[in-house]
Amino acid sequence: MSQVMIELANVTKIYGQGEKRVVALDNVSLKINKGEIFGIIGLSGAGKSTLIRCINKLEVPQSGTITIAGQEITKLKGKELRETRRKIGMIFQHFNLLSSRTVYGNIAFPLEIAGAKRSELKERVLSLIDLVGLSDKISAYPAELSGGQKQRVGIARALANNPEVLLCDEATSALDPETTKSILGLLQDINQRFNLTIVLITHQMNVIKEICDTVAVIEDGRIVEEGPVVELFARPRTPTARRFMKSVLPTEIPAEIKERALRMDDRKRGGKTVRISFIGDVAGEPVISSLIRKFQVDVNIIHANLDYIKNTPFGSLIIDLMGESSKIEAAMEFLKDRGLKLEVLNGVEPTA
Amino acid sequence: MWNLLLKALWETLYMVGASLALSALFGVPLGIVLVITEPRHIRPAPLVHKLLSTIINIGRSLPFIILLVAIIPFTRWVVGTSIGTTGAIVPLTVSAIPFTARVVETALLEIDRGVIEAAQAMGATTGQIITKVMIPEAVPGLILGLTMVAVNLIGYSAMAGAVGGGGLGDLSIRYGYQRFRGDIMLLTVVILVAIVQGLQSCGSWLAARLNRR
């Protein structure tokens, strides 16, 4: 059983009073395991930013408790709070680097605060600069860096005091897709290397898809769906989750194919157009060739896509099955038995 | 005449330099307190903030010439005399402190709040945030602000003549205006313009050089 690193229990945060009262977090409970990358996704204003800021007490919730590595941070104050915060790294959408300090100085900053010795400090900073691949930018000021480089400095700075948890507040939202990929790669790398627990909030589903193990969908201050990322992609339960999913996976059936399936119906040629959705290991099996051999049906592949959710393959295939109807039925049974999700597209009105 | 001018120049530089240093000594901490006690800043204290702000506003609304006379007992208590160049430094400083505080406040408020928040998230103490984040980040703004205070002090120092403080402004009025010495009046004005120009250029240059943003 994995160990719980962060636990939120009935956390409620309300801003303002009277007419301006906004419930940012409404009785939120979450468990985040040690060593996992936990994503929280929501539209702007859903409360995700408040949620992550509550974890290191930058925001103080009105009620509920937040426990990190067995320590109840919601109870901590002053020195104890500062010491606990040193063990929680945080990176930001707008990087928040000190513009008056170089790359070296920025990474040294958290160590200075924690009172590190000068000799240790230098060694640690240099190894962190190396870790994030900025050895050639050591004396550059933030203004001279690109967005991706700034975030790398942010990550090095956040890791300086060997935190157990890294909080990422929309860390890739200000970056272009290419840079986002490289930053996500770095995050995944440090997650594996140091068994670091990462909590990230985002409105970009591709971030969740790329690196998260577990995801929580937040809407109007409530967690509406939570579970393994693969699970969410396979069986989204809420409309919000479905909408986010569609933004990265083309689950819509192209209109041409719908029309084609309909025409096939009209002609009464027999045969069916079927969509097969798969996730995980089945993608590696020679399903189609077994289908042809075992059931003597003709298979015409008309549309396919394959993608990865973290390291799990995920995709769909649209095929025409042609032959005797009894054989088609048997072939479909065979596919269902393999754990594939089947959808017959004939008779579906083209909507696009 | 050159001796007179040299003496007056020295008096001006002495008055302005001393009162600039002293008003920075008191005004900078006041400006810092003013900022950090703001609501949602690192040490919110609405009452302290409001009180301080009101006192500063009162200080800034008093005309200098009135302040100069009004605080004579205080001046005498601090430096033992209420006249002469040294006697003028006290009212100059007192009048510049609230202005300095506002100037420092403005410079410090320009810092990106995200940077301060990042320091908080790293577990920095209030003192560390002030000395390692707020002040270094605001250096260009602080230099420009203090340049402004210095230029203002040069203007006010002209009124120091009222308590026998001497200086270029005093020389210009007593010799240039009251004794109809046009040449002295012109020269003092030229020197004052040169000082202000030089000061402002230095301040702007230094601020630009230290600006890493």
Side-chain angles (χ1 to χ4, degrees):
Chain A
M1 192 53 208
S2 34
Q3 193 188 339
V4 175
M5 187 72 201
I6 303 172
E7 185 170 357
L8 281 80
N10 313 105
V11 173
T12 297
K13 172 77 189 177
I14 297 161
Y15 291 113
Q17 288 176 333
E19 274 181 30
K20 286 191 212 148
R21 195 181 124 107
V22 179
V23 182
L25 294 176
D26 188 359
N27 209 18
V28 170
S29 296
L30 275 181
K31 277 192 179 124
I32 299 171
N33 291 327
K34 185 168 170 55
E36 76 172 335
I37 304 186
F38 193 103
I40 297 162
I41 190 163
L43 299 170
S44 41
K48 56 188 190 302
S49 201
T50 308
L51 177 57
I52 202 162
R53 293 160 54 85
C54 280
I55 295 178
N56 61 358
K57 220 182 168 188
L58 281 179
E59 298 282 355
V60 185
Q62 270 85 358
S63 63
T65 57
I66 298 169
T67 315
I68 299 175
Q71 203 169 21
E72 207 180 305
I73 194 163
T74 27
K75 267 192 189 158
L76 298 181
K77 271 187 195 152
K79 192 159 185 271
E80 282 180 314
L81 175 63
R82 286 196 299 273
E83 263 156 25
T84 304
R85 277 175 170 172
R86 283 174 199 160
K87 289 285 165 203
I88 308 170
M90 189 171 197
I91 57 173
F92 305 86
Q93 179 175 7
H94 299 296
F95 323 118
N96 296 349
L97 303 177
L98 289 152
S99 64
S100 55
R101 286 184 176 222
T102 60
V103 168
Y104 182 96
N106 266 287
I107 300 172
F109 181 71
L111 295 163
E112 284 172 29
I113 279 178
K117 287 201 199 86
R118 198 167 272 266
S119 53
E120 288 165 26
L121 184 142
K122 188 172 182 196
E123 200 179 316
R124 180 88 185 118
V125 174
L126 292 178
S127 84
L128 286 161
I129 290 180
D130 190 47
L131 174 75
V132 298
L134 286 176
S135 300
D136 55 332
K137 296 280 178 196
I138 192 162
S139 348
Y141 285 92
E144 299 157 4
L145 301 176
S146 70
Q149 290 169 333
K150 283 183 202 166
Q151 198 56 288
R152 282 170 184 273
V153 178
I155 291 170
R157 180 175 75 172
L159 296 178
N161 284 320
N162 292 308
E164 292 175 89
V165 174
L166 178 65
L167 306 176
C168 310
D169 187 355
E170 295 271 6
T172 57
S173 299
L175 304 173
D176 62 64
E178 197 71 17
T179 315
T180 296
K181 257 203 149 70
S182 82
I183 292 294
L184 293 179
L186 178 62
L187 288 176
Q188 195 166 357
D189 181 44
I190 56 178
N191 160 254
Q192 282 161 2
R193 228 196 283 193
F194 310 118
N195 195 30
L196 182 72
T197 309
I198 299 183
V199 184
L200 60 85
I201 61 160
T202 184
H203 63 266
Q204 299 166 310
M205 195 60 181
N206 64 322
V207 171
I208 302 284
K209 189 185 114 198
E210 205 84 37
I211 63 164
C212 290
D213 302 301
T214 313
V215 61
V217 180
I218 187 167
E219 194 175 19
D220 295 327
R222 271 186 291 261
I223 304 289
V224 294
E225 197 160 340
E226 188 198 344
V229 175
V230 172
E231 195 60 29
L232 178 96
F233 274 92
R235 277 172 286 275
R237 295 190 305 270
T238 56
T240 320
R242 231 167 278 141
R243 215 167 42 237
F244 277 123
M245 202 183 102
K246 275 183 189 161
S247 69
V248 286
L249 291 182
T251 52
E252 281 291 302
I253 300 159
E256 298 79 26
I257 290 170
K258 284 189 188 169
E259 241 167 78
R260 194 176 167 284
L262 210 64
R263 267 186 277 124
M264 210 163 130
D265 228 19
D266 288 346
R267 275 181 271 137
K268 305 255 185 275
R269 266 183 53 206
K272 284 203 156 88
T273 304
V274 178
R275 176 161 73 167
I276 309 167
S277 306
F278 52 89
I279 187 160
D281 296 335
V282 282
E285 287 176 33
V287 178
I288 301 294
S289 62
S290 336
L291 194 72
I292 299 168
R293 260 187 291 117
K294 280 194 185 155
F295 302 96
Q296 292 105 49
V297 286
D298 286 322
V299 175
N300 182 18
I301 299 176
I302 52 179
H303 185 85
N305 67 65
L306 177 66
D307 210 330
Y308 284 85
I309 299 164
K310 202 163 185 181
N311 301 312
T312 309
F314 181 100
S316 72
L317 192 63
I318 299 176
I319 59 174
D320 283 347
L321 284 174
M322 281 165 295
E324 284 173 35
S325 53
S326 64
K327 286 189 172 151
I328 290 176
E329 288 305 320
M332 283 171 57
E333 276 310 308
F334 167 78
L335 291 173
K336 275 183 200 159
D337 287 345
R338 301 253 114 167
L340 298 167
K341 202 174 134 200
L342 288 195
E343 265 172 285
V344 178
L345 302 182
N346 310 94
V348 179
E349 285 297 319
T351 48
Chain B
M1 179 177 99
W2 294 106
N3 276 342
L4 271 177
L5 273 172
L6 218 61
K7 184 167 171 282
L9 176 63
W10 164 246
E11 285 165 349
T12 294
L13 292 180
Y14 170 61
M15 280 190 292
V16 172
S19 46
L20 178 66
L22 286 168
S23 51
L25 189 70
F26 294 100
V28 172
L30 268 178
I32 292 170
V33 174
L34 207 51
V35 170
I36 64 171
T37 54
E38 268 197 14
R40 297 197 59 83
H41 214 282
I42 55 175
R43 273 295 168 92
L47 229 66
V48 176
H49 181 82
K50 190 90 201 132
L51 188 74
L52 208 57
S53 187
T54 309
I55 293 172
I56 286 169
N57 285 344
I58 292 171
R60 290 196 61 198
S61 48
L62 285 180
F64 178 66
I65 196 78
I66 291 173
L67 182 103
L68 186 72
V69 182
I71 65 164
I72 281 177
F74 176 72
T75 306
R76 196 172 291 138
W77 178 70
V78 175
V79 290
T81 173
S82 60
I83 53 166
T85 315
T86 305
I89 287 172
V90 177
L92 279 174
T93 304
V94 169
S95 86
I97 288 172
F99 182 53
T100 311
R102 283 287 179 219
V103 156
V104 169
E105 182 194 22
T106 312
L108 293 178
L109 282 177
E110 257 177 45
I111 310 167
D112 184 2
R113 282 305 310 275
V115 181
I116 294 169
E117 198 161 75
Q120 278 181 298
M122 281 182 245
T125 60
T126 304
Q128 286 170 327
I129 293 176
I130 294 168
T131 55
K132 285 176 179 287
V133 180
M134 292 171 62
I135 293 176
E137 286 290 292
V139 157
L142 288 173
I143 289 175
L144 286 177
L146 289 178
T147 308
M148 204 148 82
V149 174
V151 170
N152 254 309
L153 279 171
I154 291 173
Y156 283 168
S157 73
M159 282 179 257
V163 289
L168 288 165
D170 182 44
L171 181 74
S172 165
I173 289 189
R174 284 195 294 117
Y175 284 76
Y177 181 67
Q178 288 166 353
R179 298 185 191 177
F180 306 104
R181 287 285 300 269
D183 53 343
I184 288 187
M185 174 143 19
L186 192 70
L187 260 171
T188 52
V189 170
V190 167
I191 294 172
L192 283 169
V193 168
I195 293 176
V196 170
Q197 285 288 352
L199 207 57
Q200 189 62 54
S201 301
C202 283
S204 302
W205 175 80
L206 200 62
R209 227 192 98 90
L210 294 174
N211 191 356
R212 306 285 181 195
R213 257 181 274 181

